């Protein structure tokens, strides 16, 4: 029984460390992981909250509280729409980045070598 709890404790510790690592990597502004995961998380949250709105399971049930019970559904719907907008915006920005980078000249790149060749 002791080894079972030790194994569960190890799994919880490893999951926590993995979660903290992902949180740190996602908080970095220039992280490629962030650019990759933000649209995925946005669409996942939007789909989950859309399913929550149409499911019969509620945090605040309409059957007991009437119209007040719709507050959690409205909040979930607004959050889902906001998450979908962020995902769409990130996807559009990701497709524009290579176009913007192709216009910039990177110091120390092949431009010096092409100038030396022309001389």
């Amino acid at each position: 029984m002791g080894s079972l709890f030790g194994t569960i404790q190890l799994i919880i510790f490893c999951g926590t460390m993995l979660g903290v690592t992902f949180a740190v990597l996602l908080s970095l502004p220039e992280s490629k992981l962030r650019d990759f995961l933000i649209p995925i998380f946005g669409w996942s949250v939007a789909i989950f909250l859309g399913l929550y709105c149409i499911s019969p399971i509620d945090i605040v049930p309409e059957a007991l509280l009437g119209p007040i019970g719709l507050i959690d559904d409205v909040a979930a719907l607004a959050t889902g729409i906001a998450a979908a907008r962020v995902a769409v915006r990130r996807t559009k920005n990701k497709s524009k980045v290579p176009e913007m980078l192709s216009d910039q000249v990177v110091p120390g790149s092949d431009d010096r070598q092409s100038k030396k060749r022309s001389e």
Side-chain angles (χ1 to χ4, degrees):
M1 198 72 166
S3 68
L4 176 66
F5 290 123
T7 304
I8 292 172
Q9 191 175 22
L10 179 65
I11 290 170
I12 291 172
F13 176 75
C14 290
T16 302
M17 294 309 294
L18 187 63
V20 167
T21 303
F22 274 130
V24 168
L25 288 175
L26 287 174
S27 68
L28 298 173
E30 298 296 324
S31 174
K32 291 183 187 240
L33 181 67
R34 178 184 178 134
D35 292 338
F36 176 72
L37 289 180
I38 292 290
I40 294 172
F41 284 152
W43 286 116
S44 300
V45 167
I47 290 169
F48 174 75
L49 291 176
L51 291 173
Y52 174 77
C53 287
I54 62 173
S55 75
I57 300 170
D58 269 339
I59 294 174
V60 182
E62 288 88 15
L64 296 176
L65 300 174
I68 296 174
L70 294 173
I71 292 173
D72 66 328
D73 292 330
V74 171
L77 188 63
T79 306
I81 291 171
R85 288 182 67 197
V86 167
V88 167
R89 210 175 292 140
R90 282 291 184 150
T91 305
K92 285 182 181 178
N93 288 344
K94 189 188 295 186
S95 64
K96 291 180 182 178
V97 169
E99 295 171 6
M100 292 186 301
L101 290 178
S102 65
D103 296 338
Q104 296 177 353
V105 176
V106 178
S109 64
D110 294 328
D111 290 337
R112 282 194 255 166
Q113 292 175 356
S114 64
K115 287 180 184 178
K116 287 180 184 178
R117 289 181 200 150
S118 64
E119 293 175 358

